[in-house]
Amino acid sequence: MKSSVEQLDPTRVKISVEVPYAELKPSVDEAYKTIGAQVTVPGFRKGKVPARIIDQRIGRPAVIQEAVNNGLDDFYRNAVEEHDLKPMGQPEVEISEVPGLDGTEDGELGFTVEVDVRPEVELPAYDTINIEVDPIEVTDADVDAELEQLRTRFGTLVAVDRPAAKDDFVTLDLVATIDDEEIDTASDISYQVGAGTMLEGMDEALDGLSAGETTTFETTFAGGEHAGEQGTVKITLSAVKERELPEADDDFAQLASEFDTIAELREDLREQAGKAKETEQGVQARDKVLEHLMETLDVPVPAKIVTDEVERHLEAENRSDDDEHRKEVTEETERNLRTQFILDAVSEAENVEVSQPELIEYLISASQQYGMNPNEFAQMLDSSGQVNALVGEVSRRKALAAVLAGATVKDTAGNVVDMEAFTSAGDDAEDADADAQSAEAADEAPAEAAEEN
């Protein structure tokens, strides 16, 4: 077999392949066996029909076509491996020459394949990257915020006789309709006003509404079979409650912690706030390192991969005609692809490997984001073929940590910040939000999903 590669653009190639008939013959022999097992010819048992009879009854071209179809993928993959290509998406194949149609065993199978490939990425020396981050400063306000969160955990909900306001907890019934047709209903829903976790426009509708009152509002449904459609929602409020917090005194310190006094508790909260600030500083440094790579490296993206992913995304949202949203999704898709290409290049350069404990740790962290049991989350990923995408995401995390470890990080006061503790603990659960931004691995990883295995 002979093959050559023509670079059509930085992310697309044309592979030309010539396969002598001798190399195609095993596929031809297998095709005769396959067809022979499927046809019934009087006087011959199934699977024992001679090739010449199959040629007479079925036709030699049908046999050759079966052989070509069966052998094409292996020939293509051999060419990909020979030229060290990293294909993405579906290849476009054109067959130019088919041997053996006349019954001879001469000639060659000739075909070309156009396919998108991962671009080459020239990485900089990590020690040439200089990043500036905010200094760590723990203020009394930070301690107060930590204490407020702790008091909130021990707060109690108390019914109030007044209109609902931001941060109140309400109980409500809900009916959703589209063109006067009811599409959903729910009763006794508990919701915190201002949380923004339900329907667009719901927080505004609840603000100022009293128990026993009903109101309606227009919204765009975000999920389910009516995603992207406009509709009307009627809500009826049955209760308004506010959270009462315990006094921040010694009694509370003894209730909520192992400390005897509020002063001791505040000192411990100061330490916790300091650790949280260190994590925030590390996340900021990591994000800025990634941003530096994105801004300084000219990494092209395959236009067809981007177009296909954008169309899939918009069709799922039923927003194919929304040009403004199309532009936003296109930009985000291109950024995700560039991020993956860069971090995959780092991973390859650094020989990054993902161990099973690392994968399990990340899986547990990711499952918490979705509020799922880790075992159920793992089964869902496995059944949807997303395990490789998860491995790729962990590999990219480690790759970015490697770049951060080699970069120079200083705070705005000019002090060098040691990133060793942060990079060595790159799988901490509190990093889950920032991790999602690096690739949106599961449902937002077009390069991983499109890559040919």
Side-chain angles (χ1 to χ4, degrees):
M1 188 188 88
K2 295 186 297 184
S3 64
S4 60
V5 175
E6 177 186 355
Q7 195 82 35
L8 301 178
D9 63 41
T11 61
R12 193 166 180 83
V13 298
K14 181 179 181 179
I15 308 171
S16 299
V17 181
E18 295 177 354
V19 183
Y21 183 86
E23 294 186 35
L24 180 64
K25 191 174 186 307
S27 295
V28 175
D29 294 340
E30 189 63 32
Y32 274 117
K33 291 180 181 179
T34 300
I35 295 174
Q38 296 172 345
V39 299
T40 300
V41 178
F44 298 95
R45 289 179 295 166
K46 276 194 174 183
K48 300 296 183 180
V49 183
R52 61 182 177 79
I53 301 299
I54 293 176
D55 287 346
Q56 293 172 3
R57 294 296 186 94
I58 307 299
R60 174 78 168 180
V63 177
I64 297 298
Q65 184 63 52
E66 175 80 9
V68 169
N69 290 342
N70 290 338
L72 203 61
D73 187 61
D74 285 340
F75 298 138
Y76 162 65
R77 291 182 182 276
N78 289 340
V80 165
E81 184 176 348
E82 178 185 351
H83 297 282
D84 194 26
L85 301 174
K86 299 180 179 66
M88 301 173 58
Q90 291 297 320
E92 298 177 0
V93 181
E94 182 177 339
I95 299 175
S96 57
E97 187 176 354
V98 179
L101 294 175
D102 56 0
T104 66
E105 296 189 356
D106 298 323
E108 296 177 329
L109 169 64
F111 66 93
T112 60
V113 181
E114 287 193 19
V115 66
D116 292 311
V117 294
R118 286 180 177 268
E120 295 294 327
V121 179
E122 295 187 12
L123 298 170
Y126 306 153
D127 58 6
T128 64
I129 300 175
N130 296 287
I131 300 299
E132 187 176 72
V133 296
D134 296 330
I136 296 177
E137 297 177 356
V138 180
T139 66
D140 288 343
D142 294 324
V143 178
D144 291 340
E146 293 283 338
L147 182 58
E148 186 74 7
Q149 289 184 16
L150 188 59
R151 292 173 65 204
T152 298
R153 287 171 52 191
F154 285 85
T156 56
L157 295 180
V158 178
V160 291
D161 185 17
R162 60 168 175 75
K166 187 177 183 299
D167 296 329
D168 283 341
F169 291 82
V170 297
T171 304
L172 56 90
D173 298 335
L174 175 152
V175 178
T177 59
I178 295 179
D179 296 332
D180 296 327
E181 179 182 350
E182 184 177 304
I183 63 167
D184 197 11
T185 181
S187 302
D188 293 327
I189 299 174
S190 296
Y191 180 70
Q192 185 175 17
V193 181
T197 56
M198 289 193 68
L199 297 167
E200 181 183 347
M202 184 167 172
D203 289 321
E204 292 79 3
L206 286 171
D207 193 9
L209 197 67
S210 298
E213 293 183 338
T214 298
T215 190
T216 61
F217 63 95
E218 302 299 314
T219 191
T220 300
F221 299 108
E225 59 180 307
H226 298 286
E229 296 185 45
Q230 300 282 331
T232 302
V233 177
K234 181 175 74 172
I235 51 177
T236 301
L237 208 60
S238 56
V240 179
K241 299 178 181 180
E242 66 179 8
R243 192 192 300 272
E244 285 190 355
L245 304 183
E247 290 294 326
D249 52 21
D250 292 347
D251 290 338
F252 174 70
Q254 293 167 23
L255 170 68
S257 71
E258 71 272 27
F259 302 106
D260 294 327
T261 67
I262 193 66
E264 292 174 320
L265 175 58
R266 286 183 63 87
E267 187 59 33
D268 182 69
L269 293 176
R270 184 177 295 276
E271 291 182 12
Q272 293 182 32
K275 292 178 181 178
K277 293 271 187 176
E278 288 180 3
T279 299
E280 291 173 7
Q281 189 185 60
V283 171
Q284 183 186 24
R286 184 183 59 187
D287 290 347
K288 286 195 171 186
V289 163
L290 178 58
E291 196 62 38
H292 174 86
L293 293 174
M294 296 285 286
E295 290 176 356
T296 57
L297 297 179
D298 183 16
V299 180
V301 295
K304 188 175 185 302
I305 296 292
V306 172
T307 300
D308 291 348
E309 173 62 18
V310 170
E311 289 300 330
R312 183 194 66 79
H313 185 101
L314 294 177
E315 287 177 5
E317 292 184 335
N318 196 24
R319 299 178 66 178
S320 296
D321 297 329
D322 190 336
D323 292 338
E324 184 176 348
H325 187 52
R326 177 182 294 275
K327 181 181 178 182
E328 294 173 353
V329 175
T330 299
E331 291 174 353
E332 182 65 20
T333 301
E334 291 178 345
R335 178 179 174 82
N336 288 340
L337 280 168
R338 288 193 177 95
T339 299
Q340 290 187 16
F341 293 156
I342 291 171
L343 296 184
D344 285 347
V346 174
S347 181
E348 184 175 339
E350 297 297 320
N351 296 315
V352 171
E353 295 182 355
V354 178
S355 67
Q356 186 174 11
E358 288 172 329
L359 185 61
I360 292 173
E361 187 172 355
Y362 183 78
L363 187 149
I364 293 173
S365 174
S367 67
Q368 292 172 348
Q369 287 184 278
Y370 293 95
M372 295 181 63
N373 176 280
N375 290 330
E376 294 176 353
F377 185 66
Q379 291 173 4
M380 181 193 72
L381 291 175
D382 185 46
S383 62
S384 60
Q386 290 295 312
V387 174
N388 285 339
L390 193 69
V391 173
E393 177 59 19
V394 177
S395 175
R396 294 183 193 111
R397 284 166 46 87
K398 296 182 67 175
L400 186 53
V403 180
L404 179 57
T408 299
V409 181
K410 295 182 179 180
D411 64 21
T412 53
N415 301 309
V416 175
V417 180
D418 185 3
M419 287 284 104
E420 182 178 357
F422 180 80
T423 55
S424 63
D427 291 325
D428 286 349
E430 58 261 36
D431 292 339
D433 256 355
D435 299 335
Q437 297 173 9
S438 69
E440 289 295 321
D443 56 352
E444 298 291 341
E448 192 74 36
E451 186 172 1
E452 288 290 304
N453 292 324

